[in-house]
Amino acid sequence: MKMDIVGVDDDVHILDPELLQLPCLSPSPLKASSHIADQLFSHWLSLPETATLVKSLIDEAKSGTPTKNYPAINVSGATALPSVFLSNGTPPLSPRSLSGSPRFSRQRASPPSLRSPLRSLKEPKQQELIPQFYFLHGRPPAKELKEQCISMVDHFFSNYIDGLHVNEFKSITKEVCKLPSYLSHALFRKIDPNCSGIVTRDAFIKYWIDGNMLTMDTASQIYNILKQQDCKYLRQADFKPLLDELLATHPGLEFLRTTCEFQERYAETVIYRIFYYINRSGTGCLTLRELKRGNLIAAMQQLDEENDINKIIRYFSYEHFYVIYCRFWELDGDHDCFIDKDNLIKYGNHALTYRIVDRIFSQAPRKFTSKVEGKMSYEDFVYFILAEEDKSSEPSLEYWFKCIDLDGNEVITPNEIHFFFEEQLHRMESIIQEPVHFNDILCQIIDMIKPEKENCITLEDLKGSKLSGNVFNILFNLNKFMAFETRDPFLIRQEREDPSLTEWDRFAQREYVRLSMEEDVEEVSNGSAEEPLEPPF
């Protein structure tokens, strides 16, 4: 029996055999008589329900609409199966759950959509936008902040249509930029690179607002103002404009304006102190990270708030400069601005040993800036005196650690301790007339530092102990070692009264009083008739 179905002949080849939904039959009879399967298929196609089903499936496939679930056509009701399927010798299959059969599970599920899978790929997906978090030239200012700043700029420039001169620019630096006023000269030159002598409103807005300086932190602002263009660090010379402005306008330094030589020395000393404490890499190139980690910005902001320069003990104190320079002047017997070994051995009333002085002049802790062989420049002396008088600071610990570490293996061993203490031992025995055993001193040092490894001391061990400075005094500074052993109660009480002061601060206070008294006595004894060798401060 053959049946023609309209519209089926051309598309019947695309039908999925699973859609025929035939009852589950044993495959063995089909394999034995293939013509019976053909007869069965023809019988199935003759059913009216089959024609309707096939026609609807083809229409849905053409239109692209999802297929529906169709009930299985019962071919075993009105029309029985051929007798060959009923009388075969195959035993019946065990009863199966329709839900457990993969075949029937697939039939009961909705057939997959016949729509092209490429269509979903072409559809644009909504992506989550991540806001920009890195800006090469700084974060642009917000609209409200920008408008507020422009309003302030318009107010300051309203009376200066042609622009501001450098002596009129300080208010802009302090009020608009919120920076120390002593940076006004450096900021002015940054905005006016052609040295026209005038900064206009548009030029200021272009540099400060359009250049995104407005949104930077204070340290980054100062760093960008002071450094040279296309340079990634600050050099000593970059601080010169700041010190020139400070010396010219700060009320606490007014008395120095008639002595240009000492103005220059003061500026040099401040810069040396800045690099000693902040430039921890020791390269002479101060990075932005080092500037942020230091306390220079806080000290600079103090300059506008305090008229007494000596109260700004970090970097800018004139008394601290006075102590450093006078100590250098005392040791520099021929006043050629250089110090040799014979000069330095006199420091602190011959407190240092010859061996430690030799290590200093071997440039083990720091390479000299002096161009004269065998001599120390003023800058080299500043580094030395800061390290010697405040052994609690990290720069000082690094300075003296390099001196004691003879082989440069970053470890101090008992042999190296013995080498430096040997000279100290002879000096001690000549004073106290008692034998001092090295093993006792070594045990004392180990107890003070408590290193991770008993027979070697690292730099980290020293930085982790509050008594590290005393260890160095034991090895090469007899005067301070004896003072530590006697434990002066007055000095201990003084330290407890103001713990914010460092060892250097307390030394500078005592030394300034001593130098001032000596100068007063000398002036009285000479009747002020002769010119003193020391600078007339």
Side-chain angles (χ1 to χ4, degrees):
M1 182 184 296
K2 187 174 181 181
M3 173 182 177
D4 293 333
I5 303 176
V6 181
V8 175
D9 293 339
D10 296 334
D11 300 308
V12 72
H13 65 278
I14 66 172
L15 291 177
D16 186 349
E18 296 291 340
L19 296 178
L20 297 179
Q21 303 181 9
L22 293 175
C24 183
L25 301 175
S26 174
S28 56
L30 298 178
K31 291 181 180 179
S33 303
S34 59
H35 67 280
I36 297 178
D38 294 336
Q39 293 178 1
L40 178 62
F41 181 68
S42 298
H43 173 72
W44 178 80
L45 286 177
S46 65
L47 299 177
E49 294 88 348
T50 303
T52 305
L53 172 63
V54 173
K55 183 67 169 58
S56 62
L57 289 174
I58 293 175
D59 292 340
E60 291 176 358
K62 288 181 178 181
S63 63
T65 58
T67 58
K68 303 176 183 178
N69 290 329
Y70 295 95
I73 301 174
N74 186 4
V75 297
S76 60
T79 306
L81 289 176
S83 60
V84 65
F85 293 104
L86 302 177
S87 61
N88 68 80
T90 304
L93 297 175
S94 62
R96 291 181 297 175
S97 171
L98 294 180
S99 61
S101 171
R103 177 177 175 183
F104 283 91
S105 297
R106 186 165 51 222
Q107 291 176 358
R108 298 175 70 181
S110 299
S113 173
L114 298 179
R115 298 173 61 185
S116 172
L118 297 178
R119 182 177 301 180
S120 61
L121 297 177
K122 295 179 181 179
E123 294 178 357
K125 295 182 178 179
Q126 186 175 3
Q127 298 180 351
E128 181 181 355
L129 297 178
I130 301 176
Q132 184 177 354
F133 56 88
Y134 173 74
F135 301 87
L136 180 60
H137 302 291
R139 181 182 294 274
K143 182 178 179 181
E144 295 181 359
L145 180 62
K146 183 177 181 179
E147 292 175 352
Q148 182 181 2
C149 184
I150 291 177
S151 176
M152 294 180 66
V153 172
D154 292 339
H155 172 72
F156 278 98
F157 278 90
S158 59
N159 297 327
Y160 302 93
I161 300 177
D162 297 331
L164 293 171
H165 293 84
V166 65
N167 59 339
E168 302 165 336
F169 196 71
K170 184 170 287 191
S171 58
I172 291 286
T173 305
K174 188 175 181 180
E175 302 297 333
V176 178
C177 302
K178 309 297 183 183
L179 293 173
S181 61
Y182 299 99
L183 285 168
S184 61
H185 189 271
L187 178 58
F188 188 92
R189 295 304 177 199
K190 204 74 173 183
I191 302 175
D192 181 33
N194 298 324
C195 299
S196 64
I198 293 179
V199 168
T200 63
R201 170 192 175 277
D202 294 340
F204 177 81
I205 290 178
K206 180 179 179 181
Y207 177 81
W208 190 255
I209 300 179
D210 297 342
N212 299 331
M213 288 285 289
L214 176 61
T215 55
M216 293 183 184
D217 57 88
T218 304
S220 299
Q221 291 172 345
I222 295 176
Y223 175 81
N224 282 282
I225 291 172
L226 292 179
K227 76 178 183 68
Q228 298 297 315
Q229 188 175 5
D230 299 328
C231 193
K232 297 182 179 180
Y233 51 82
L234 291 173
R235 302 169 301 172
Q236 291 186 2
D238 295 332
F239 287 89
K240 195 68 169 56
L242 169 66
L243 271 301
D244 289 342
E245 183 74 9
L246 182 69
L247 286 163
T249 59
H250 198 282
L253 296 171
E254 186 177 0
F255 67 98
L256 270 184
R257 292 171 191 167
T258 57
T259 55
C260 296
E261 178 185 355
F262 300 119
Q263 284 186 355
E264 183 178 352
R265 284 298 187 188
Y266 169 81
E268 290 176 352
T269 306
V270 171
I271 293 173
Y272 298 155
R273 292 182 66 188
I274 290 173
F275 274 76
Y276 171 81
Y277 284 107
I278 299 182
N279 182 214
R280 301 304 304 282
S281 61
T283 59
C285 302
L286 191 64
T287 63
L288 175 59
R289 182 181 181 182
E290 291 174 326
L291 184 63
K292 289 183 175 182
R293 294 177 65 180
N295 56 359
L296 176 61
I297 304 302
M300 293 174 63
Q301 292 172 335
Q302 237 183 318
L303 292 171
D304 282 323
E305 304 168 0
E306 184 57 64
N307 290 333
D308 187 354
I309 196 70
N310 293 318
K311 291 184 178 180
I312 310 174
I313 58 178
R314 298 292 170 261
Y315 313 110
F316 297 101
S317 170
Y318 176 81
E319 291 181 355
H320 290 195
F321 153 71
Y322 182 83
V323 169
I324 295 172
Y325 189 73
C326 286
R327 275 297 185 103
F328 180 80
W329 184 267
E330 289 175 351
L331 297 176
D332 182 19
D334 55 3
H335 304 303
D336 62 348
C337 295
F338 292 102
I339 290 177
D340 57 19
K341 288 184 182 180
D342 294 334
N343 299 138
L344 190 62
I345 201 67
K346 301 175 184 177
Y347 181 84
N349 194 20
H350 295 82
L352 303 176
T353 62
Y354 284 93
R355 290 182 180 180
I356 199 65
V357 171
D358 288 340
R359 285 291 288 172
I360 294 172
F361 275 85
S362 70
Q363 304 181 39
R366 180 179 180 272
K367 185 175 178 59
F368 285 174
T369 59
S370 169
K371 304 301 181 183
V372 181
E373 185 177 357
K375 290 197 173 184
M376 174 188 286
S377 68
Y378 178 64
E379 179 180 352
D380 302 323
F381 178 78
V382 172
Y383 275 72
F384 160 77
I385 192 173
L386 292 175
E388 168 59 24
E389 300 302 338
D390 187 5
K391 293 188 177 74
S392 63
S393 66
E394 289 195 3
S396 175
L397 295 177
E398 294 170 1
Y399 186 96
W400 296 118
F401 181 86
K402 294 175 183 177
C403 285
I404 306 300
D405 183 18
L406 294 174
D407 54 8
N409 65 347
E410 299 184 355
V411 171
I412 296 178
T413 62
N415 290 335
E416 291 167 331
I417 294 175
H418 182 269
F419 174 80
F420 284 96
F421 184 73
E422 187 176 17
E423 182 182 354
Q424 190 85 312
L425 179 61
H426 294 309
R427 301 175 71 188
M428 292 173 60
E429 290 178 347
S430 64
I431 294 175
I432 63 178
Q433 300 297 324
E434 292 181 6
V436 179
H437 300 288
F438 171 73
N439 289 336
D440 296 337
I441 294 296
L442 181 60
C443 289
Q444 183 180 1
I445 291 175
I446 296 299
D447 290 341
M448 294 167 67
I449 301 300
K450 294 180 174 58
E452 291 187 7
K453 297 182 180 180
E454 185 174 353
N455 292 326
C456 60
I457 298 175
T458 65
L459 181 59
E460 294 302 319
D461 293 331
L462 292 171
K463 290 181 178 180
S465 173
K466 295 182 179 180
L467 300 175
S468 299
N470 296 314
V471 171
F472 291 125
N473 290 331
I474 292 173
L475 298 181
F476 54 76
N477 191 314
L478 182 59
N479 295 346
K480 291 185 177 180
F481 175 43
M482 300 300 293
F484 172 72
E485 289 295 321
T486 56
R487 301 290 207 289
D488 187 349
F490 174 76
L491 294 178
I492 295 175
R493 185 171 64 253
Q494 190 180 32
E495 293 176 5
R496 291 176 178 175
E497 288 177 355
D498 195 349
S500 63
L501 295 179
T502 64
E503 292 182 13
W504 165 256
D505 298 332
R506 284 186 284 269
F507 164 79
Q509 284 181 349
R510 297 192 304 268
E511 195 65 13
Y512 183 78
V513 172
R514 181 187 70 83
L515 293 170
S516 300
M517 292 177 63
E518 289 181 358
E519 185 175 347
D520 292 340
V521 171
E522 185 176 353
E523 289 180 358
V524 171
S525 61
N526 294 334
S528 301
E530 297 181 1
E531 194 76 20
L533 288 178
E534 288 82 7
F537 300 122

